[in-house]
């Protein structure tokens, strides 16, 4: 339900500014989480047998064909861990990469959560559009992290 009304110009400006703020704030928050946070095998981050070590994601979405075109948000932060390529092929390198895919996946799941706030200053139809945007924008990143982590898990076992 729209509680605040702005002109079209200011609504669009606030929408853009709010998304930039939420994406950057959530990313910065997740970067501050200690790596030990991701060493568990939480339900949201574990790779399930039905994912076939990530192969399911490539079969459904052809991840290999487009994942290289995604922006690596780690480049925006000095302490970010870039995931465009492996940092090494040793066991420790693969484990670190897998942990960082969990961090990235959590970041993108959390980046969907602010979408309902846009109903406060947008008409309902635009509020729903913001929810669609949040899902459509973040889903490729979530799928890519699950795909990569599944492959890494297979390499480590």
């Amino acid at each position: 339900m729209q509680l605040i009304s702005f002109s079209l110009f200011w609504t669009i400006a606030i929408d853009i500014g709010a998304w930039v703020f939420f994406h950057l704030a959530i990313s910065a928050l997740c970067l501050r989480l200690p790596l030990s946070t991701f060493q568990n095998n939480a339900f949201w981050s574990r790779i399930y047998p039905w994912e076939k070590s990530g192969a399911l994601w490539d079969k459904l979405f052809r991840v290999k064909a487009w994942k290289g075109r995604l922006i690596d948000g780690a480049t925006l932060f000095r302490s970010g861990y870039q995931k465009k390529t492996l940092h090494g092929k040793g066991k420790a390198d693969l484990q670190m990469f897998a942990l960082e895919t969990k961090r990235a996946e959590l970041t993108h799941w959390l980046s969907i959560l602010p979408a309902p706030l846009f109903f406060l200053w947008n008409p309902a139809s635009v509020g729903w559009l913001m929810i669609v945007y949040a899902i459509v924008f973040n889903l490729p990143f979530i799928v890519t992290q699950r795909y990569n982590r599944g492959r890494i898990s297979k390499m480590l076992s």
Side-chain angles (χ1 to χ4, degrees):
M1 172 195 292
Q2 184 176 356
L3 298 176
I4 306 166
S5 185
F6 299 105
S7 69
L8 180 61
F9 172 81
W10 284 112
T11 301
I12 292 169
I14 291 168
D15 287 344
I16 292 168
W19 275 123
V20 169
F21 169 78
F22 288 132
H23 287 303
L24 293 176
I26 290 167
S27 296
L29 174 78
C30 287
L31 268 174
R32 285 194 163 82
L33 294 173
L35 209 51
S36 60
T37 305
F38 303 101
Q39 290 177 331
N40 63 11
N41 206 15
F43 76 94
W44 63 268
S45 67
R46 84 176 49 115
I47 300 299
Y48 292 94
W50 53 265
E51 292 179 85
K52 301 186 185 323
S53 300
L56 172 76
W57 302 114
D58 191 47
K59 184 176 181 180
L60 289 176
F61 300 110
R62 296 178 18 97
V63 177
K64 278 190 250 183
W66 51 261
K67 74 178 188 130
R69 293 188 210 131
L70 292 177
I71 297 166
D72 188 347
T75 59
L76 300 174
F77 298 93
R78 213 171 332 153
S79 61
Y81 182 92
Q82 295 186 21
K83 292 166 293 306
K84 281 280 187 189
T85 60
L86 287 174
H87 293 245
K89 294 182 182 176
K91 184 177 181 177
D93 297 316
L94 295 175
Q95 289 172 331
M96 174 66 98
F97 194 94
L99 290 174
E100 291 293 345
T101 65
K102 289 182 180 184
R103 182 189 312 271
E105 183 179 347
L106 177 63
T107 300
H108 287 284
W109 280 117
L110 293 176
S111 293
I112 295 171
L113 297 181
L117 295 174
F118 287 78
F119 282 98
L120 294 175
W121 63 86
N122 283 287
S125 59
V126 177
W128 285 111
L129 185 63
M130 294 298 159
I131 289 176
V132 170
Y133 159 78
I135 293 168
V136 168
F137 177 81
N138 287 288
L139 200 57
F141 294 96
I142 292 167
V143 167
T144 300
Q145 301 315 315
R146 298 196 67 76
Y147 167 77
N148 286 336
R149 195 165 57 256
R151 292 175 55 221
I152 289 169
S153 296
K154 186 176 181 180
M155 291 168 67
L156 286 169
S157 61

